[in-house]
Amino acid sequence: MIELKSSAEIERMQVTGRFVGEVLAEVSAAAAVGVNLLDLENHARRLIKERGAESSYWDYAPSFGKGPFRNVLCLSVNDAVLHGLPHDYVLRDGDLLSLDMAVAIDGWTADSAYSVVVGTPAEQDLRLIEATQVALEAGIGAAQPGGRLGDISAAIGAVAKRYGFRVNTEFGGHGIGRTMHESPHIPNDGRAGRGMKLTPGLTIAIEPWFLVTTDKIRFDEDGWTIRSADGSRTAHSEHTVAVTDTGPVVLTRRPGETPALA
């Protein structure tokens, strides 16, 4: 079942979204060579507690996970792209780090992800991150009232093809609102003009994630961390978006963020 939100409810989600954007900006800025992933996790925990927010990740136990998730961030490094379990790992020069976070404030949830390179970046990694950011903005731009869900998927997939990166459709975007994962599922590739109609009040998380040379994935023994099957690099970008009468509204922009342009 899909629950459409009122303008007042979207405004409440935007309060949460603003906080998510601020935390992602602060924590990603703290990611540097020599910093332990657990330090980033604890930094986010502190900010969430100070705000009186509630992590949507803590105790999350979907069918694909191995027991309840007991962290407030997903931190995925290099060939890891989704659901990276924070662990005792010290960031090295050139690591590609994807940070993902969802919280609820007063019962309303927002979800966002951001990828950065720690230390000295490789051009290929910057291009990969750029591709996910451009695809995210393309997907947002396609989230127009009266359009179709497939318009978003097609816009994301077209960017991946243009950059020459690979897409896996097992995990993708999703509805969001009172809980982190609601209907519908939004694949990162598809056909325009297909799928459900985009109606004002629909709130969704759009999240392109690309792999360099494969569309296959594998799980770590921790039961959570998802990696490219061939060890190639990955990147992930995500925003929570509301479809409104006048077009899409991004609820999780980071402070000072400039939308990526093709």
Side-chain angles (χ1 to χ4, degrees):
M1 178 178 175
I2 295 173
E3 178 190 15
L4 300 179
K5 283 72 174 181
S6 67
S7 57
E9 289 170 336
I10 290 172
E11 287 178 1
R12 293 176 68 184
M13 287 182 66
Q14 192 160 33
V15 171
T16 309
R18 189 175 301 115
F19 173 70
V20 168
E22 291 169 351
V23 173
L24 273 183
E26 184 169 333
V27 175
S28 63
V33 176
V35 171
N36 195 301
L37 294 183
L38 294 177
D39 292 334
L40 300 180
E41 164 72 15
N42 289 329
H43 189 161
R45 288 189 192 189
R46 183 170 61 254
L47 294 174
I48 290 170
K49 182 178 181 180
E50 289 173 354
R51 178 61 176 79
E54 180 179 350
S55 171
S56 301
Y57 291 170
W58 194 269
D59 277 345
Y60 182 56
S63 59
F64 61 83
K66 186 178 181 180
F69 197 83
R70 289 293 174 86
N71 294 277
V72 303
L73 290 177
C74 291
L75 297 173
S76 307
V77 181
N78 296 332
D79 62 327
V81 65
L82 295 176
H83 312 151
L85 198 66
H87 60 286
D88 184 14
Y89 175 83
V90 176
L91 290 167
R92 304 169 183 171
D93 188 47
D95 277 346
L96 196 166
L97 173 66
S98 296
L99 308 94
D100 195 352
M101 172 183 167
V103 303
I105 295 176
D106 297 329
W108 293 98
T109 309
D111 189 4
S112 187
Y114 182 49
S115 292
V116 296
V117 176
V118 176
T120 309
E123 286 300 320
Q124 171 89 325
D125 290 345
L126 293 179
R127 188 169 181 273
L128 178 60
I129 293 171
E130 177 187 277
T132 66
Q133 294 173 340
V134 170
L136 176 57
E137 296 302 329
I140 292 168
Q144 299 291 337
R148 297 284 178 176
L149 197 67
D151 299 345
I152 299 173
S153 299
I156 292 170
V159 173
K161 293 178 179 68
R162 188 166 78 243
Y163 276 83
F165 295 129
R166 307 299 293 272
V167 177
N168 174 286
T169 56
E170 295 174 61
F171 294 88
H174 50 89
I176 188 170
R178 297 182 189 275
T179 61
M180 176 172 59
H181 285 145
E182 300 179 352
S183 294
H185 170 67
I186 308 171
N188 283 325
D189 199 6
R191 296 179 63 181
R194 297 292 187 92
M196 64 169 283
K197 188 175 181 180
L198 301 176
T199 304
L202 179 68
T203 49
I204 52 179
I206 300 174
E207 51 176 314
W209 56 280
F210 297 157
L211 311 93
V212 173
T213 56
T214 182
D215 60 1
K216 306 300 182 184
I217 57 174
R218 64 179 179 85
F219 284 81
D220 275 5
E221 291 185 4
D222 64 27
W224 285 101
T225 305
I226 296 177
R227 299 182 183 273
S228 64
D230 64 358
S232 61
R233 294 279 178 122
T234 60
H236 179 203
S237 294
E238 177 183 17
H239 273 312
T240 296
V241 179
V243 178
T244 74
D245 290 317
T246 57
V249 175
V250 179
L251 307 181
T252 48
R253 289 281 187 210
R254 297 178 300 280
E257 178 187 357
T258 301
L261 300 176

